[in-house]
Amino acid sequence: MERFPVDAGWRALRRTVAGPDVAPVRLPLDRWPRLAPFARPVGLLVVIGLFAVTLAQQTDRRLPGIVPILFAGLTVAPLLALPRRPLLAWRLAVVALATCTFNAPAGAGWPWTPVLALGSLLVLAVVATRADRPVLAWVGLLTLVPGLALVDPDHRVSVVVLVLTVLVLGDLVRGNRRSRRALAAQTALSEREQERRAVLEERTRIARELHDVVAHHMSMIAVQAETAPYRLADVPDGARTEFAAIAGSAREALTDMRRLLGVLRSEAAGPETAPQPGLAELPAMVDAARRAGLTVTLDSPAPAAGTPAPVALAAYRIVQEGLANAARHAAGAVVRVSVRPGPRALAVRVENSAGTGPAAAQRGTGHGLTGMRERALALGGTFTAGPADGGGYVVDALLPYDGEDGTG
C-alpha cells in the first residue's frame, strides 16, 4: 500500500469508519434489465436461505432470547447492503466478525460460520475494487483486528495472508478499471481531435484549390485594367490613373494571395500546377468509374458558361467522393449521379443502391463526408447525406452561384 502522512492517514480513518460510501457495485442486472424481475426475488430467497442456515447452526449454543435471530440477521446484513453501500456492508461485516462467534465449539480454530466467513471475504473483495488506497489500508487493518484476536494462533498467518491477498487482487482490479477508463477517455479525446484536424485540413485543401480560381480572376482584372487605356479611344488622364490604380491593387492582391497560399500549404506539399477540374470533366470521371467496375449513370446537361469556377470545382469533388464511397462501401451497387443547374444554384445528387457484393478491403480516412460538407458550406450552400428509403445511400448538395442559398 502507498505511504501517506499522518494527517492524511487520520482523514482516511474517519472516511473508513464514518465517511461517505464508495461507488456502488454495477450489478449484471443493470446491464441486462430483463433479468431484474427474476434475479431480485431469487437473490432475496438466497439471503433468506442463508439466514435460516445460520439460525439453525445456533441451536447447540443455547443463546438466550432473540440473540440468535439478531446474530443471524447481522451475519446476512452485509450481503443486503453490499450492492449499493459497499463500505457500509464492510462495517457491518467487521461488527459481525467481532461478535458472531456463536458457532465456535471449544478449541475450534475458526470461530465463524461458513456463511459469515465467505460473506466477509466477498464484502472485502468488493470494497477493495471500489475504495482508494488510503481507505483500503484502514479496511485491511481493521479487518485483521477481530481475525487476529479471535482466531486460533495456528491459523493467524493464514488469515493475514488471505486478507492481504484479497486486498491486493482487488486493488489490482481497481487499477485496471481506472486504466481502461483513462484509455477510453483518451481515445475519445483523440478521436475528437482527429475530427477537428480533418475539418481544418479539408478547409485548408479547399482554400488551396480556390486560390487558383480566384487568382485567375484577379489576373484577368489586372490585365484588363492595364490594357483598357490602349483599347479605348480618348481616355481622360484621370481614367488612366484609375485604371493603373486598379491594376496595381489587383497585383497587390495577387501577391497577398500567394503569401496566404504559402501559409496554407504544408512544408511537405509541393506546388499544385494541374488545372482545377470542373463540370466539363464529369463525364471523364464517370467513364473512369465504369472502367473500374461501377455501374454509373450520369444525368448532367452541358455545363453553363456562367457557372462559377468554385461551384464547378465543389460539384466535381462532391461527385468524386460520392463515387469513391459507393465503390468502397457498396460493392455491386448501381450509382446515379445528377448535376442539375438551377436559376440560382447547382443541385448535386449522388445516390447508390444497396451493395450486392462484399465491401472493398481498402478503407478511407473516414472524413469524406466532412470534406463534402465543408465544400458546400464554404459556398453558402447546403449538404445532407444519409441512408435512402429503399436501401443504399444518398448525398445531396445545393451550391448557390452567388454565395446565397438557392432554395428560394
Side-chain angles (χ1 to χ4, degrees), residues 16 21-23 25 82 85-91 120-132 135-136 139-140 166-167 170-171 174:
T16 305
D21 217 304
V22 296
V25 181
L82 183 60
R85 303 286 300 276
L87 200 54
L88 175 62
W90 169 80
R91 294 164 184 163
S120 299
L121 287 177
L122 176 62
V123 170
L124 188 64
V126 171
V127 172
T129 62
R130 296 288 167 173
D132 54 25
V135 172
L136 191 57
V139 166
V166 172
L167 293 178
D171 186 66
R174 184 182 66 90

Side-chain angles (χ1 to χ4, degrees), residues 205 209 275-286 288 307-324 337 339 346 348 350 372 375 379 397 399:
R205 190 163 71 92
E209 293 178 351
Q276 298 296 338
L279 298 180
E281 286 74 25
L282 282 178
M285 179 173 59
V286 170
T307 302
V311 174
L313 173 61
Y316 180 90
R317 295 301 188 195
I318 290 174
V319 173
Q320 184 181 46
E321 186 63 35
L323 292 177
V337 178
V339 181
L346 185 70
V348 181
V350 181
M372 289 189 280
R375 290 184 181 277
L379 297 174
L399 310 176

